[in-house]
Amino acid sequence: MIGPSLSIALVLLIAVVVTLIAGVKIVPQGEEWIVERLGKYSRTLKPGLNIIVPYIETVRQKMTTRDIILDVEKQEVITKDNAVIITNAVSFIKITDPKKALYGVEDFKLAIRNLIMTTLRSIIGEMNLDEALSNRETIKARLKEQIIDDVADWGITVKTVEIQDITPSPSMQQAMEQQAAAERERRAMETRAEGEKNAMILVADGKLEAAKREAQAQVKLAQASAEAIEMIGSSVGERELPAMFLLGDRYIESMKKLAESENSKLVLYPADLQATLKGLLGK
């Protein structure tokens, strides 16, 4: 049997041990703990062994000092030219003052998410669709610049903000695809029209060059004929028989070709070929 005094001593011993254990706090590396004394902020416990006053001081919040990855959900944003795009982001933050992070805002993660979303809508709303899709780095820089001061009041540092996706909405993508298809069709029509125009120009140039060459050939032929006639005239002179022989030969050759034509049915030679040739000579 244990006496009353021994029981009391044992209870007191257990109470002392529990009190000592409650007063000893071991803070792991990468964390800082907020301690309150009777409901009021007292101090911040750093990593390592710490002693607090049991039952008077309590650990209100365990805050991490490591980098926090904060996802910002997707949202629809309207650009300056009334185009709807879908965008989301991810932010890397770090708590530099646990006291401000706990007491400065009710929920710092929710607050930063909402701040990033509203600021992102404001920035993209000042841009056209093409600018928003092609200036991701500019959007990121402006976003970080505009939220960094507000977040600093909460004892938090924004290390970086990355734009994960920034794409047109499905309806906008369909409209852009139709526009791109129409643009490709227009360029194809222009290319075909340009090709047909160049082909017509080449054909016209070819015909013009052929006509020029034909005219030059006719001129050359006429000159040759004139020179031939002149040479024949100078050679024949007043002699009738050679001229008659030459003209008769040409006449007969022409009649021969006429007779070979498919449309020719009847060829008549003059009864007096000699008289006919004299008539051609003008004698």
Side-chain angles (χ1 to χ4, degrees):
M1 297 294 295
I2 301 175
S5 60
L6 184 59
S7 298
I8 294 173
L10 184 60
V11 171
L12 291 175
L13 179 62
I14 294 174
V16 170
V17 172
V18 172
T19 301
L20 291 176
I21 294 175
V24 176
K25 300 298 180 182
I26 299 176
V27 180
Q29 187 68 37
E31 292 184 3
E32 292 183 5
W33 294 2
I34 302 297
V35 175
E36 290 182 346
R37 177 176 295 176
L38 301 176
K40 183 180 179 181
Y41 172 77
S42 174
R43 64 186 184 278
T44 301
L45 301 183
K46 301 298 181 179
L49 180 63
N50 294 270
I51 304 296
I52 64 173
V53 180
Y55 312 118
I56 297 178
E57 293 181 339
T58 58
V59 176
R60 165 68 185 278
Q61 187 72 34
K62 298 177 181 180
M63 309 292 288
T64 180
T65 56
R66 293 168 293 182
D67 291 347
I68 300 174
I69 302 173
L70 196 63
D71 286 324
V72 180
E73 58 270 18
K74 292 183 178 181
Q75 62 173 334
E76 290 187 351
V77 182
I78 300 177
T79 61
K80 186 178 181 180
D81 52 354
N82 295 323
V84 179
I85 62 176
I86 300 175
T87 180
N88 66 333
V90 59
S91 178
F92 296 87
I93 62 175
K94 184 179 180 66
I95 299 176
T96 55
D97 191 337
K99 178 183 176 181
K100 289 183 178 180
L102 178 62
Y103 298 106
V105 62
E106 183 175 357
D107 186 343
F108 69 89
K109 292 183 179 180
L110 179 61
I112 293 175
R113 283 195 184 99
N114 290 333
L115 183 61
I116 291 176
M117 291 176 67
T118 54
T119 306
L120 191 58
R121 285 198 298 268
S122 175
I123 293 173
I124 295 179
E126 299 174 357
M127 296 181 173
N128 295 325
L129 176 61
D130 294 338
E131 294 176 346
L133 296 177
S134 59
N135 294 323
R136 180 174 298 193
E137 293 297 324
T138 302
I139 296 174
K140 182 180 74 173
R142 290 184 59 187
L143 180 60
K144 181 179 178 181
E145 180 183 357
Q146 293 187 24
I147 69 173
I148 193 169
D149 292 336
D150 294 332
V151 173
D153 293 338
W154 303 331
I156 298 172
T157 299
V158 177
K159 303 189 73 173
T160 184
V161 179
E162 296 292 339
I163 306 298
Q164 287 184 306
D165 295 317
I166 180 166
T167 57
S169 63
S171 59
M172 184 59 61
Q173 288 182 6
Q174 184 178 2
M176 292 174 66
E177 290 175 358
Q178 293 176 353
Q179 182 180 2
E183 181 66 18
R184 289 193 297 269
E185 182 64 22
R186 182 185 66 82
R187 292 181 180 178
M189 292 177 63
E190 290 180 354
T191 302
R192 287 195 297 268
E194 186 69 19
E196 292 175 358
K197 183 185 74 172
N198 293 335
M200 293 176 64
I201 292 174
L202 292 176
V203 170
D205 290 342
K207 290 181 178 180
L208 178 61
E209 185 65 22
K212 289 180 179 180
R213 291 182 179 273
E214 181 67 21
Q216 292 176 358
Q218 293 293 336
V219 172
K220 294 292 184 181
L221 182 61
Q223 292 176 352
S225 299
E227 292 177 358
I229 293 172
E230 184 178 355
M231 291 176 64
I232 293 173
S234 62
S235 299
V236 172
E238 297 297 329
R239 291 176 293 176
E240 182 177 312
L241 184 58
M244 290 180 64
F245 174 78
L246 180 60
L247 290 175
D249 181 65
R250 294 287 182 87
Y251 183 80
I252 294 172
E253 184 67 25
S254 299
M255 287 298 181
K256 180 180 178 182
K257 292 182 179 180
L258 182 62
E260 292 174 352
S261 174
E262 295 179 357
N263 297 327
S264 300
K265 302 299 182 182
L266 180 64
V267 178
L268 297 177
Y269 285 91
D272 191 353
L273 181 58
Q274 184 176 0
T276 301
L277 295 175
K278 287 183 178 180
L280 292 174
L281 290 173
K283 294 185 180 181

